[in-house]
Every structure is written in C-alpha cells, then in structure tokens.
Amino acid sequence: MSGSYQTDARRRDGEPVHLPILSSSSSHTPSPGVSAGPLIDGLARRIRYVRISLTDRCNYRCTYCMPDEGIELAPRADVLSFEELEATVRALQQVGVERVRLTGGEPTVRKDLIELVSRLSRLGLQDLALSTNGERLEELALPLRRAGLHRLNVSVDTLQPDRFAQVTRRGSLTKVLAGLESARTAGFAHTKLNCVAMRGFNDDELGALCRYAWDRDMIPRLIELMPMAEGQLFYPGTFLSVAEQRKILTAELGPLLSVETGESDSELPGVGPARYVAVRYGGLLRKVGLISAVSEPFCDTCNRVRLSATGQLHACLAYDDAIDLRRVLRSGLAGDDLVDRLVQAARGGLSNKRAGHVFSESGCGGPRKHMVSIGG
C-alpha cells in the first residue's frame, strides 16, 4: 500500500504523532482466497461490527459534534450509493462482520433511507441498528421497523426543553420524545438512550435520564465528551469522567452492581463499547451503560470499524487515516473480484490498526475530523 505521513494527533506530552495515511491503490493482484477467514487486525482483535455513515449532513448542530456554521460537506458525487453500501456490507460479511449500525451525520436525512434498510435487512445480519437524533423518528419508526431494522440508538442529552434547544441549537425535545413513543409502538425493544454527560450542563439530570429510560424499558448510556475536531468543540471544565458519573449515579440511585460480561452480551443485543452496571429500580435490576473512551479506554476489546459516507474505512474513531474503499468500489470490478479487492484493502489497513488512542481529559489527542462527519 502506498503511504504518506502527516501529523494527526499529539501525545500526552504534546509531541506530534505521525500517522500513516493508507489507501487501497495497491498495484498487485489479490491472491486467491483473500476473502477467506475472519477479519483480524494486527493485534489479533477480531472485527465483527461496522458503523456506516450515510451522510455528513445533519438537521441539528449539537455543540460537541458540529460548529454552528456547519462543516464543509462532501460533494454528493463522492457519497456512496445504496448499491455500493450493500456491496461493501456483503464483502465484510464474508470475513465475519455480523453487525451493522447506520449513522450520520443524521441518517434519517438521507433520501430513501427505508430502501437501504430493506436492502441490508435481507442480508441476514445478526444485528442491524440505527443511531439517530430522533427528530424524524415519529414518522419513520414504523416504516423502519417494517423494513427490517432491529434496533435504535437515540440521542437525548437532557429532558429540559431549554437545555435541549441550547445543546442541539435547533432541535425539538417534544419531537424526539414523541419519536421515542412511536418507536415503542412500532415494536422496537432495547432502544438505547445515549447521553453525552457534561459538567455544568446535564450532570444534575443523569439520574432522571436513567429513570426516564427504565420506565419505558429503554437502556440509558452515558458517554464521556470526546475531543473530536482537534478539541475545538471541547469546552474547558465540561468533561465529566465515568468515575464522577458513577458517584453521581450512586448518590441518586443507590449502589451500582457489576454486570457479568456474558449476561450483558446475552441480554443486550448489539453490545458495543459500553460497560454496564446495574441498579435496583422499581423492584427490578436495571442496567446503565458507561462509555469511557477518554478516562478508561476500552481499546483492547475493540471489535469495530467505521465507514464514512464517502467510503473511507476508519480503523479508529480517534485518528484521521483511512482506507479508501470508494476507489475499489468504483474501479470497475464486480462479483468475487470486487469482494476480494474490498477485503484485501480492509485487511491491509487493519494490519496497521493501533493498540489505542491518545484522547486526554484536557481535550487534546483527538483527530481533525468532526464527529458529524463519521458518526457517533
């Protein structure tokens, strides 16, 4: 593979880290059977899960995700078609990818989303899920369910309308909550309620958000603020570590009980990076997920990759280097030849996947890319 170098991040001591920018423009012919065997990175972590960004466009401007003025959007011609997305998923299935999550930007603003969900649902994936801000969920929940979508992740950072308007800059809490009710009516179960926990903003609502979710048989998940966009949207003093989150939850809800990994995997389909603890609530043992990418990284168990809307396969959220699958998809190859070349490109890039990232609680160590351009 060809490789150039550029500075994409800094170590905790402030020194630059030089990261390879990988492409799939290898000139050699893929060897027979390249698509055989599981997709494994250079540290023997098996990849089973891909998050696919359908668009870098969004109808919100969440303060930690996107500047108020927006970002420079990818040309529409560069965005992968449904046929290209389906071909990529089919190829990755050949090497053990079992779970797909559709993200954005905001995936519900992608035209004909229902058609894509229907296409992917026919591939026999173990899990097909979608992350959304919920703004359009009231109208789309039933069509998504009928198209074969398995699960939903919905972002709700606060239950107070004024705070919701502040953090989203243009969202409607009323619409989102109505969308959640529509999702329940449509038959979605195990819906995950994602909340970015921030000091001085919603740290006094963590218990209320958990109770709201549990009362509706949803699963709350609290997420540490991550220093995306080189920390440009990382406001000083707002970071709230999971250690502090645990203290808040204990004070509000009572003792936190450990959850065995096996139990978590069996009861919570599509388990990703969250580490779950349990609380006794309403006579039942209820779970809350804690996603601690900054203060307590989970890189050693990483089983996922991310595909951008323009076909760039990112081995890690925290770095900007990527494998250009769009070039392969538009190379004129078809059938087994296309599958082999896609898998070859993915394997080559993942052989360089790092052991971990350099996120810091001060807001340093993040990539140049905005969260909205790769999906949460």
Side-chain angles (χ1 to χ4, degrees), residues 88-124:
T88 302
V89 173
R90 285 182 181 275
L92 293 176
Q93 276 188 290
Q94 299 299 310
V95 287
V97 169
E98 305 161 334
R99 296 171 175 172
V100 169
R101 173 170 298 282
L102 305 178
T103 69
E106 172 49 40
T108 62
V109 305
R110 177 77 186 256
K111 185 180 179 182
D112 297 325
L113 170 65
I114 305 304
E115 178 192 340
L116 176 63
V117 171
S118 181
R119 281 173 174 261
L120 297 183
S121 71
R122 292 194 289 267
L123 299 183

PDB file of all heavy atoms in Angstrom, residues 88-124:
ATOM      1  N   THR A  88     -20.386  -3.365  -0.092  1.00  0.00           N
ATOM      2  CA  THR A  88     -19.382  -3.322   0.967  1.00  0.00           C
ATOM      3  C   THR A  88     -19.783  -4.220   2.126  1.00  0.00           C
ATOM      4  O   THR A  88     -18.961  -4.973   2.668  1.00  0.00           O
ATOM      5  CB  THR A  88     -19.184  -1.881   1.457  1.00  0.00           C
ATOM      6  OG1 THR A  88     -18.788  -1.066   0.354  1.00  0.00           O
ATOM      7  CG2 THR A  88     -18.116  -1.823   2.535  1.00  0.00           C
ATOM      8  N   VAL A  89     -21.041  -4.148   2.535  1.00  0.00           N
ATOM      9  CA  VAL A  89     -21.501  -4.988   3.638  1.00  0.00           C
ATOM     10  C   VAL A  89     -21.417  -6.457   3.255  1.00  0.00           C
ATOM     11  O   VAL A  89     -20.982  -7.301   4.063  1.00  0.00           O
ATOM     12  CB  VAL A  89     -22.940  -4.607   4.047  1.00  0.00           C
ATOM     13  CG1 VAL A  89     -23.478  -5.600   5.087  1.00  0.00           C
ATOM     14  CG2 VAL A  89     -22.978  -3.191   4.618  1.00  0.00           C
ATOM     15  N   ARG A  90     -21.804  -6.786   2.040  1.00  0.00           N
ATOM     16  CA  ARG A  90     -21.699  -8.190   1.591  1.00  0.00           C
ATOM     17  C   ARG A  90     -20.255  -8.685   1.678  1.00  0.00           C
ATOM     18  O   ARG A  90     -19.995  -9.809   2.112  1.00  0.00           O
ATOM     19  CB  ARG A  90     -22.205  -8.323   0.156  1.00  0.00           C
ATOM     20  CG  ARG A  90     -23.723  -8.272  -0.005  1.00  0.00           C
ATOM     21  CD  ARG A  90     -24.107  -8.467  -1.469  1.00  0.00           C
ATOM     22  NE  ARG A  90     -25.538  -8.406  -1.684  1.00  0.00           N
ATOM     23  CZ  ARG A  90     -26.366  -9.439  -1.538  1.00  0.00           C
ATOM     24  NH1 ARG A  90     -25.874 -10.613  -1.165  1.00  0.00           N
ATOM     25  NH2 ARG A  90     -27.654  -9.308  -1.772  1.00  0.00           N
ATOM     26  N   ALA A  91     -19.325  -7.848   1.263  1.00  0.00           N
ATOM     27  CA  ALA A  91     -17.917  -8.241   1.314  1.00  0.00           C
ATOM     28  C   ALA A  91     -17.451  -8.440   2.750  1.00  0.00           C
ATOM     29  O   ALA A  91     -16.767  -9.425   3.065  1.00  0.00           O
ATOM     30  CB  ALA A  91     -17.068  -7.183   0.616  1.00  0.00           C
ATOM     31  N   LEU A  92     -17.820  -7.518   3.622  1.00  0.00           N
ATOM     32  CA  LEU A  92     -17.392  -7.629   5.012  1.00  0.00           C
ATOM     33  C   LEU A  92     -18.052  -8.810   5.724  1.00  0.00           C
ATOM     34  O   LEU A  92     -17.469  -9.393   6.642  1.00  0.00           O
ATOM     35  CB  LEU A  92     -17.683  -6.323   5.751  1.00  0.00           C
ATOM     36  CG  LEU A  92     -16.869  -5.112   5.286  1.00  0.00           C
ATOM     37  CD1 LEU A  92     -17.305  -3.848   6.007  1.00  0.00           C
ATOM     38  CD2 LEU A  92     -15.373  -5.352   5.487  1.00  0.00           C
ATOM     39  N   GLN A  93     -19.255  -9.163   5.290  1.00  0.00           N
ATOM     40  CA  GLN A  93     -19.887 -10.362   5.846  1.00  0.00           C
ATOM     41  C   GLN A  93     -19.056 -11.606   5.573  1.00  0.00           C
ATOM     42  O   GLN A  93     -19.031 -12.537   6.395  1.00  0.00           O
ATOM     43  CB  GLN A  93     -21.280 -10.554   5.241  1.00  0.00           C
ATOM     44  CG  GLN A  93     -22.387  -9.767   5.906  1.00  0.00           C
ATOM     45  CD  GLN A  93     -23.739 -10.170   5.353  1.00  0.00           C
ATOM     46  OE1 GLN A  93     -24.066  -9.882   4.204  1.00  0.00           O
ATOM     47  NE2 GLN A  93     -24.525 -10.861   6.157  1.00  0.00           N
ATOM     48  N   GLN A  94     -18.388 -11.624   4.439  1.00  0.00           N
ATOM     49  CA  GLN A  94     -17.578 -12.793   4.077  1.00  0.00           C
ATOM     50  C   GLN A  94     -16.437 -13.031   5.054  1.00  0.00           C
ATOM     51  O   GLN A  94     -15.911 -14.143   5.136  1.00  0.00           O
ATOM     52  CB  GLN A  94     -17.006 -12.623   2.663  1.00  0.00           C
ATOM     53  CG  GLN A  94     -18.039 -12.492   1.566  1.00  0.00           C
ATOM     54  CD  GLN A  94     -18.933 -13.715   1.457  1.00  0.00           C
ATOM     55  OE1 GLN A  94     -18.426 -14.838   1.391  1.00  0.00           O
ATOM     56  NE2 GLN A  94     -20.231 -13.505   1.445  1.00  0.00           N
ATOM     57  N   VAL A  95     -16.054 -11.984   5.787  1.00  0.00           N
ATOM     58  CA  VAL A  95     -14.932 -12.114   6.730  1.00  0.00           C
ATOM     59  C   VAL A  95     -15.386 -11.891   8.175  1.00  0.00           C
ATOM     60  O   VAL A  95     -14.611 -11.484   9.024  1.00  0.00           O
ATOM     61  CB  VAL A  95     -13.790 -11.156   6.348  1.00  0.00           C
ATOM     62  CG1 VAL A  95     -13.083 -11.662   5.104  1.00  0.00           C
ATOM     63  CG2 VAL A  95     -14.290  -9.740   6.140  1.00  0.00           C
ATOM     64  N   GLY A  96     -16.666 -12.159   8.429  1.00  0.00           N
ATOM     65  CA  GLY A  96     -17.114 -12.243   9.813  1.00  0.00           C
ATOM     66  C   GLY A  96     -17.807 -11.035  10.401  1.00  0.00           C
ATOM     67  O   GLY A  96     -18.143 -11.047  11.592  1.00  0.00           O
ATOM     68  N   VAL A  97     -18.037  -9.976   9.629  1.00  0.00           N
ATOM     69  CA  VAL A  97     -18.799  -8.845  10.167  1.00  0.00           C
ATOM     70  C   VAL A  97     -20.258  -9.266  10.276  1.00  0.00           C
ATOM     71  O   VAL A  97     -20.873  -9.693   9.293  1.00  0.00           O
ATOM     72  CB  VAL A  97     -18.648  -7.597   9.276  1.00  0.00           C
ATOM     73  CG1 VAL A  97     -19.657  -6.525   9.687  1.00  0.00           C
ATOM     74  CG2 VAL A  97     -17.234  -7.049   9.396  1.00  0.00           C
ATOM     75  N   GLU A  98     -20.801  -9.145  11.492  1.00  0.00           N
ATOM     76  CA  GLU A  98     -22.148  -9.631  11.774  1.00  0.00           C
ATOM     77  C   GLU A  98     -23.118  -8.510  12.122  1.00  0.00           C
ATOM     78  O   GLU A  98     -24.330  -8.709  12.083  1.00  0.00           O
ATOM     79  CB  GLU A  98     -22.101 -10.595  12.973  1.00  0.00           C
ATOM     80  CG  GLU A  98     -21.130 -11.751  12.807  1.00  0.00           C
ATOM     81  CD  GLU A  98     -20.770 -12.389  14.137  1.00  0.00           C
ATOM     82  OE1 GLU A  98     -20.840 -11.684  15.172  1.00  0.00           O
ATOM     83  OE2 GLU A  98     -20.442 -13.596  14.129  1.00  0.00           O
ATOM     84  N   ARG A  99     -22.556  -7.348  12.486  1.00  0.00           N
ATOM     85  CA  ARG A  99     -23.385  -6.260  12.993  1.00  0.00           C
ATOM     86  C   ARG A  99     -23.106  -4.983  12.228  1.00  0.00           C
ATOM     87  O   ARG A  99     -21.951  -4.639  11.977  1.00  0.00           O
ATOM     88  CB  ARG A  99     -23.113  -6.045  14.486  1.00  0.00           C
ATOM     89  CG  ARG A  99     -23.503  -7.239  15.344  1.00  0.00           C
ATOM     90  CD  ARG A  99     -23.034  -7.099  16.772  1.00  0.00           C
ATOM     91  NE  ARG A  99     -23.541  -8.208  17.575  1.00  0.00           N
ATOM     92  CZ  ARG A  99     -23.187  -8.445  18.825  1.00  0.00           C
ATOM     93  NH1 ARG A  99     -22.314  -7.641  19.422  1.00  0.00           N
ATOM     94  NH2 ARG A  99     -23.701  -9.464  19.491  1.00  0.00           N
ATOM     95  N   VAL A 100     -24.168  -4.288  11.885  1.00  0.00           N
ATOM     96  CA  VAL A 100     -24.071  -3.025  11.168  1.00  0.00           C
ATOM     97  C   VAL A 100     -24.916  -1.987  11.880  1.00  0.00           C
ATOM     98  O   VAL A 100     -26.055  -2.260  12.263  1.00  0.00           O
ATOM     99  CB  VAL A 100     -24.551  -3.166   9.706  1.00  0.00           C
ATOM    100  CG1 VAL A 100     -24.691  -1.802   9.043  1.00  0.00           C
ATOM    101  CG2 VAL A 100     -23.594  -4.046   8.906  1.00  0.00           C
ATOM    102  N   ARG A 101     -24.327  -0.817  12.084  1.00  0.00           N
ATOM    103  CA  ARG A 101     -25.093   0.317  12.621  1.00  0.00           C
ATOM    104  C   ARG A 101     -25.021   1.450  11.618  1.00  0.00           C
ATOM    105  O   ARG A 101     -23.932   1.837  11.173  1.00  0.00           O
ATOM    106  CB  ARG A 101     -24.529   0.786  13.972  1.00  0.00           C
ATOM    107  CG  ARG A 101     -25.185   2.077  14.474  1.00  0.00           C
ATOM    108  CD  ARG A 101     -24.786   2.392  15.903  1.00  0.00           C
ATOM    109  NE  ARG A 101     -25.230   1.349  16.788  1.00  0.00           N
ATOM    110  CZ  ARG A 101     -26.491   1.206  17.218  1.00  0.00           C
ATOM    111  NH1 ARG A 101     -27.411   2.059  16.817  1.00  0.00           N
ATOM    112  NH2 ARG A 101     -26.826   0.235  18.027  1.00  0.00           N
ATOM    113  N   LEU A 102     -26.165   1.995  11.255  1.00  0.00           N
ATOM    114  CA  LEU A 102     -26.245   3.115  10.336  1.00  0.00           C
ATOM    115  C   LEU A 102     -26.206   4.411  11.121  1.00  0.00           C
ATOM    116  O   LEU A 102     -26.977   4.600  12.066  1.00  0.00           O
ATOM    117  CB  LEU A 102     -27.528   3.023   9.509  1.00  0.00           C
ATOM    118  CG  LEU A 102     -27.724   1.710   8.736  1.00  0.00           C
ATOM    119  CD1 LEU A 102     -29.063   1.721   8.005  1.00  0.00           C
ATOM    120  CD2 LEU A 102     -26.579   1.480   7.758  1.00  0.00           C
ATOM    121  N   THR A 103     -25.284   5.300  10.742  1.00  0.00           N
ATOM    122  CA  THR A 103     -25.122   6.558  11.462  1.00  0.00           C
ATOM    123  C   THR A 103     -25.080   7.702  10.444  1.00  0.00           C
ATOM    124  O   THR A 103     -25.389   7.519   9.273  1.00  0.00           O
ATOM    125  CB  THR A 103     -23.824   6.551  12.291  1.00  0.00           C
ATOM    126  OG1 THR A 103     -22.692   6.571  11.419  1.00  0.00           O
ATOM    127  CG2 THR A 103     -23.752   5.331  13.188  1.00  0.00           C
ATOM    128  N   GLY A 104     -24.658   8.876  10.906  1.00  0.00           N
ATOM    129  CA  GLY A 104     -24.544  10.034  10.036  1.00  0.00           C
ATOM    130  C   GLY A 104     -23.223  10.734  10.284  1.00  0.00           C
ATOM    131  O   GLY A 104     -22.217  10.066  10.539  1.00  0.00           O
ATOM    132  N   GLY A 105     -23.268  12.078  10.371  1.00  0.00           N
ATOM    133  CA  GLY A 105     -24.409  12.957  10.328  1.00  0.00           C
ATOM    134  C   GLY A 105     -25.656  12.373  10.969  1.00  0.00           C
ATOM    135  O   GLY A 105     -25.615  11.611  11.918  1.00  0.00           O
ATOM    136  N   GLU A 106     -26.769  12.755  10.386  1.00  0.00           N
ATOM    137  CA  GLU A 106     -28.064  12.237  10.815  1.00  0.00           C
ATOM    138  C   GLU A 106     -28.599  11.356   9.701  1.00  0.00           C
ATOM    139  O   GLU A 106     -28.982  11.844   8.633  1.00  0.00           O
ATOM    140  CB  GLU A 106     -29.023  13.387  11.123  1.00  0.00           C
ATOM    141  CG  GLU A 106     -30.454  12.980  11.389  1.00  0.00           C
ATOM    142  CD  GLU A 106     -30.590  11.848  12.404  1.00  0.00           C
ATOM    143  OE1 GLU A 106     -29.851  11.852  13.413  1.00  0.00           O
ATOM    144  OE2 GLU A 106     -31.430  10.959  12.176  1.00  0.00           O
ATOM    145  N   PRO A 107     -28.631  10.035   9.912  1.00  0.00           N
ATOM    146  CA  PRO A 107     -29.000   9.121   8.827  1.00  0.00           C
ATOM    147  C   PRO A 107     -30.419   9.306   8.309  1.00  0.00           C
ATOM    148  O   PRO A 107     -30.693   8.976   7.155  1.00  0.00           O
ATOM    149  CB  PRO A 107     -28.805   7.737   9.452  1.00  0.00           C
ATOM    150  CG  PRO A 107     -28.889   7.961  10.928  1.00  0.00           C
ATOM    151  CD  PRO A 107     -28.302   9.314  11.156  1.00  0.00           C
ATOM    152  N   THR A 108     -31.310   9.833   9.127  1.00  0.00           N
ATOM    153  CA  THR A 108     -32.697   9.963   8.677  1.00  0.00           C
ATOM    154  C   THR A 108     -32.891  11.086   7.670  1.00  0.00           C
ATOM    155  O   THR A 108     -33.984  11.215   7.097  1.00  0.00           O
ATOM    156  CB  THR A 108     -33.656  10.182   9.863  1.00  0.00           C
ATOM    157  OG1 THR A 108     -33.324  11.411  10.529  1.00  0.00           O
ATOM    158  CG2 THR A 108     -33.575   9.024  10.853  1.00  0.00           C
ATOM    159  N   VAL A 109     -31.857  11.908   7.420  1.00  0.00           N
ATOM    160  CA  VAL A 109     -31.989  12.919   6.371  1.00  0.00           C
ATOM    161  C   VAL A 109     -31.535  12.374   5.015  1.00  0.00           C
ATOM    162  O   VAL A 109     -31.684  13.057   4.004  1.00  0.00           O
ATOM    163  CB  VAL A 109     -31.210  14.213   6.709  1.00  0.00           C
ATOM    164  CG1 VAL A 109     -31.638  14.762   8.057  1.00  0.00           C
ATOM    165  CG2 VAL A 109     -29.706  13.991   6.675  1.00  0.00           C
ATOM    166  N   ARG A 110     -31.008  11.152   5.001  1.00  0.00           N
ATOM    167  CA  ARG A 110     -30.610  10.523   3.726  1.00  0.00           C
ATOM    168  C   ARG A 110     -31.869  10.089   2.979  1.00  0.00           C
ATOM    169  O   ARG A 110     -32.718   9.363   3.518  1.00  0.00           O
ATOM    170  CB  ARG A 110     -29.690   9.326   3.986  1.00  0.00           C
ATOM    171  CG  ARG A 110     -29.267   8.545   2.730  1.00  0.00           C
ATOM    172  CD  ARG A 110     -28.199   9.251   1.954  1.00  0.00           C
ATOM    173  NE  ARG A 110     -27.913   8.560   0.684  1.00  0.00           N
ATOM    174  CZ  ARG A 110     -26.850   7.794   0.462  1.00  0.00           C
ATOM    175  NH1 ARG A 110     -25.953   7.605   1.422  1.00  0.00           N
ATOM    176  NH2 ARG A 110     -26.673   7.232  -0.718  1.00  0.00           N
ATOM    177  N   LYS A 111     -31.995  10.528   1.750  1.00  0.00           N
ATOM    178  CA  LYS A 111     -33.156  10.211   0.932  1.00  0.00           C
ATOM    179  C   LYS A 111     -33.296   8.700   0.745  1.00  0.00           C
ATOM    180  O   LYS A 111     -32.316   7.996   0.541  1.00  0.00           O
ATOM    181  CB  LYS A 111     -33.028  10.903  -0.427  1.00  0.00           C
ATOM    182  CG  LYS A 111     -34.252  10.749  -1.319  1.00  0.00           C
ATOM    183  CD  LYS A 111     -34.043  11.473  -2.643  1.00  0.00           C
ATOM    184  CE  LYS A 111     -35.256  11.309  -3.552  1.00  0.00           C
ATOM    185  NZ  LYS A 111     -35.056  11.970  -4.864  1.00  0.00           N
ATOM    186  N   ASP A 112     -34.516   8.213   0.854  1.00  0.00           N
ATOM    187  CA  ASP A 112     -34.833   6.800   0.614  1.00  0.00           C
ATOM    188  C   ASP A 112     -34.148   5.868   1.613  1.00  0.00           C
ATOM    189  O   ASP A 112     -33.773   4.736   1.280  1.00  0.00           O
ATOM    190  CB  ASP A 112     -34.480   6.386  -0.820  1.00  0.00           C
ATOM    191  CG  ASP A 112     -35.283   7.150  -1.862  1.00  0.00           C
ATOM    192  OD1 ASP A 112     -36.459   7.458  -1.594  1.00  0.00           O
ATOM    193  OD2 ASP A 112     -34.729   7.460  -2.934  1.00  0.00           O
ATOM    194  N   LEU A 113     -34.008   6.331   2.849  1.00  0.00           N
ATOM    195  CA  LEU A 113     -33.394   5.512   3.897  1.00  0.00           C
ATOM    196  C   LEU A 113     -34.084   4.157   4.031  1.00  0.00           C
ATOM    197  O   LEU A 113     -33.420   3.135   4.239  1.00  0.00           O
ATOM    198  CB  LEU A 113     -33.444   6.267   5.228  1.00  0.00           C
ATOM    199  CG  LEU A 113     -33.062   5.480   6.479  1.00  0.00           C
ATOM    200  CD1 LEU A 113     -31.595   5.065   6.427  1.00  0.00           C
ATOM    201  CD2 LEU A 113     -33.338   6.308   7.733  1.00  0.00           C
ATOM    202  N   ILE A 114     -35.401   4.152   3.939  1.00  0.00           N
ATOM    203  CA  ILE A 114     -36.145   2.907   4.133  1.00  0.00           C
ATOM    204  C   ILE A 114     -35.709   1.855   3.111  1.00  0.00           C
ATOM    205  O   ILE A 114     -35.598   0.673   3.432  1.00  0.00           O
ATOM    206  CB  ILE A 114     -37.666   3.158   4.028  1.00  0.00           C
ATOM    207  CG1 ILE A 114     -38.103   4.251   5.026  1.00  0.00           C
ATOM    208  CG2 ILE A 114     -38.438   1.871   4.295  1.00  0.00           C
ATOM    209  CD1 ILE A 114     -37.753   3.968   6.460  1.00  0.00           C
ATOM    210  N   GLU A 115     -35.441   2.290   1.891  1.00  0.00           N
ATOM    211  CA  GLU A 115     -34.989   1.351   0.861  1.00  0.00           C
ATOM    212  C   GLU A 115     -33.663   0.708   1.255  1.00  0.00           C
ATOM    213  O   GLU A 115     -33.467  -0.509   1.085  1.00  0.00           O
ATOM    214  CB  GLU A 115     -34.832   2.070  -0.481  1.00  0.00           C
ATOM    215  CG  GLU A 115     -34.311   1.162  -1.594  1.00  0.00           C
ATOM    216  CD  GLU A 115     -33.887   1.913  -2.838  1.00  0.00           C
ATOM    217  OE1 GLU A 115     -34.310   3.065  -3.031  1.00  0.00           O
ATOM    218  OE2 GLU A 115     -33.100   1.339  -3.623  1.00  0.00           O
ATOM    219  N   LEU A 116     -32.740   1.497   1.768  1.00  0.00           N
ATOM    220  CA  LEU A 116     -31.443   0.944   2.166  1.00  0.00           C
ATOM    221  C   LEU A 116     -31.604  -0.047   3.311  1.00  0.00           C
ATOM    222  O   LEU A 116     -30.993  -1.125   3.300  1.00  0.00           O
ATOM    223  CB  LEU A 116     -30.489   2.060   2.578  1.00  0.00           C
ATOM    224  CG  LEU A 116     -29.129   1.577   3.099  1.00  0.00           C
ATOM    225  CD1 LEU A 116     -28.356   0.830   2.019  1.00  0.00           C
ATOM    226  CD2 LEU A 116     -28.304   2.738   3.641  1.00  0.00           C
ATOM    227  N   VAL A 117     -32.414   0.312   4.308  1.00  0.00           N
ATOM    228  CA  VAL A 117     -32.638  -0.606   5.430  1.00  0.00           C
ATOM    229  C   VAL A 117     -33.217  -1.918   4.921  1.00  0.00           C
ATOM    230  O   VAL A 117     -32.801  -3.012   5.346  1.00  0.00           O
ATOM    231  CB  VAL A 117     -33.566   0.035   6.469  1.00  0.00           C
ATOM    232  CG1 VAL A 117     -33.985  -0.987   7.531  1.00  0.00           C
ATOM    233  CG2 VAL A 117     -32.880   1.228   7.140  1.00  0.00           C
ATOM    234  N   SER A 118     -34.146  -1.831   4.000  1.00  0.00           N
ATOM    235  CA  SER A 118     -34.741  -3.040   3.435  1.00  0.00           C
ATOM    236  C   SER A 118     -33.695  -3.892   2.720  1.00  0.00           C
ATOM    237  O   SER A 118     -33.656  -5.118   2.864  1.00  0.00           O
ATOM    238  CB  SER A 118     -35.864  -2.645   2.475  1.00  0.00           C
ATOM    239  OG  SER A 118     -36.485  -3.787   1.931  1.00  0.00           O
ATOM    240  N   ARG A 119     -32.818  -3.243   1.954  1.00  0.00           N
ATOM    241  CA  ARG A 119     -31.745  -3.965   1.257  1.00  0.00           C
ATOM    242  C   ARG A 119     -30.851  -4.714   2.252  1.00  0.00           C
ATOM    243  O   ARG A 119     -30.545  -5.901   2.084  1.00  0.00           O
ATOM    244  CB  ARG A 119     -30.877  -2.996   0.470  1.00  0.00           C
ATOM    245  CG  ARG A 119     -31.428  -2.519  -0.866  1.00  0.00           C
ATOM    246  CD  ARG A 119     -30.500  -1.429  -1.406  1.00  0.00           C
ATOM    247  NE  ARG A 119     -30.839  -0.984  -2.739  1.00  0.00           N
ATOM    248  CZ  ARG A 119     -30.246  -1.399  -3.851  1.00  0.00           C
ATOM    249  NH1 ARG A 119     -29.277  -2.281  -3.777  1.00  0.00           N
ATOM    250  NH2 ARG A 119     -30.607  -0.934  -5.030  1.00  0.00           N
ATOM    251  N   LEU A 120     -30.401  -3.980   3.280  1.00  0.00           N
ATOM    252  CA  LEU A 120     -29.462  -4.569   4.231  1.00  0.00           C
ATOM    253  C   LEU A 120     -30.124  -5.630   5.107  1.00  0.00           C
ATOM    254  O   LEU A 120     -29.480  -6.603   5.516  1.00  0.00           O
ATOM    255  CB  LEU A 120     -28.846  -3.470   5.100  1.00  0.00           C
ATOM    256  CG  LEU A 120     -28.011  -2.418   4.361  1.00  0.00           C
ATOM    257  CD1 LEU A 120     -27.407  -1.430   5.344  1.00  0.00           C
ATOM    258  CD2 LEU A 120     -26.924  -3.055   3.503  1.00  0.00           C
ATOM    259  N   SER A 121     -31.399  -5.444   5.386  1.00  0.00           N
ATOM    260  CA  SER A 121     -32.091  -6.410   6.253  1.00  0.00           C
ATOM    261  C   SER A 121     -32.185  -7.781   5.593  1.00  0.00           C
ATOM    262  O   SER A 121     -32.302  -8.802   6.278  1.00  0.00           O
ATOM    263  CB  SER A 121     -33.480  -5.905   6.616  1.00  0.00           C
ATOM    264  OG  SER A 121     -34.356  -5.953   5.507  1.00  0.00           O
ATOM    265  N   ARG A 122     -32.120  -7.814   4.264  1.00  0.00           N
ATOM    266  CA  ARG A 122     -32.215  -9.089   3.554  1.00  0.00           C
ATOM    267  C   ARG A 122     -30.886  -9.840   3.512  1.00  0.00           C
ATOM    268  O   ARG A 122     -30.822 -10.961   2.999  1.00  0.00           O
ATOM    269  CB  ARG A 122     -32.723  -8.844   2.127  1.00  0.00           C
ATOM    270  CG  ARG A 122     -34.168  -8.374   2.061  1.00  0.00           C
ATOM    271  CD  ARG A 122     -34.718  -8.475   0.639  1.00  0.00           C
ATOM    272  NE  ARG A 122     -34.134  -7.488  -0.256  1.00  0.00           N
ATOM    273  CZ  ARG A 122     -34.642  -6.281  -0.512  1.00  0.00           C
ATOM    274  NH1 ARG A 122     -35.763  -5.905   0.097  1.00  0.00           N
ATOM    275  NH2 ARG A 122     -34.055  -5.456  -1.358  1.00  0.00           N
ATOM    276  N   LEU A 123     -29.837  -9.241   4.059  1.00  0.00           N
ATOM    277  CA  LEU A 123     -28.519  -9.889   4.025  1.00  0.00           C
ATOM    278  C   LEU A 123     -28.312 -10.878   5.165  1.00  0.00           C
ATOM    279  O   LEU A 123     -27.296 -11.565   5.212  1.00  0.00           O
ATOM    280  CB  LEU A 123     -27.416  -8.822   4.062  1.00  0.00           C
ATOM    281  CG  LEU A 123     -27.390  -7.823   2.906  1.00  0.00           C
ATOM    282  CD1 LEU A 123     -26.209  -6.876   3.037  1.00  0.00           C
ATOM    283  CD2 LEU A 123     -27.358  -8.534   1.563  1.00  0.00           C
ATOM    284  N   GLY A 124     -29.241 -10.920   6.108  1.00  0.00           N
ATOM    285  CA  GLY A 124     -29.134 -11.883   7.197  1.00  0.00           C
ATOM    286  C   GLY A 124     -28.150 -11.502   8.276  1.00  0.00           C
ATOM    287  O   GLY A 124     -27.544 -12.379   8.918  1.00  0.00           O
TER     288      GLY A 124
END
